[in-house]
Amino acid sequence: MASVIEAYRDEKGNLHHEASSAIIADIAAALGRVGDEGGLTEGVARLILEKRAAIEKAFGDLDRLEGNSLTVIDVSDHLRVQSLSA
């Protein structure tokens, strides 16, 4: 008898039993071939998913730093301006 199952589809249309498996497949596809014959790609994709919080924090930091790049103050200039006005 037919039954309903829950499955997850990756970007290529392949079905997976777990959401994380579909995401790993998508990350692996985005990475392309890593290592000889692409043997490291899935492992690297799995690490990226496992280290997601740290990676997202790093990208958030990068976005914040690049977004505020126009307001960076050169400390040496700032100190010189303060000493001139004092």
Side-chain angles (χ1 to χ4, degrees):
M1 172 176 253
S3 62
V4 175
I5 63 166
E6 185 172 356
Y8 302 88
R9 186 173 37 221
D10 63 24
E11 292 290 324
K12 290 184 177 180
N14 299 315
L15 295 179
H16 300 265
H17 294 289
E18 299 174 357
S20 62
S21 177
I23 296 302
I24 289 169
D26 288 341
I27 293 170
L31 291 172
R33 298 174 68 88
V34 178
D36 294 336
E37 302 298 320
L40 297 175
T41 306
E42 184 178 339
V44 171
R46 188 172 303 280
L47 279 173
I48 290 171
L49 188 60
E50 290 173 5
K51 305 292 183 180
R52 176 182 175 176
I55 292 169
E56 286 179 346
K57 181 185 178 309
F59 278 116
D61 291 346
L62 177 65
D63 291 344
R64 182 179 48 79
L65 292 170
E66 287 181 344
N68 291 334
S69 62
L70 297 176
T71 60
V72 172
I73 298 171
D74 183 17
V75 176
S76 60
D77 288 343
H78 183 67
L79 293 175
R80 186 172 45 118
V81 169
Q82 282 185 343
S83 65
L84 292 174
S85 62

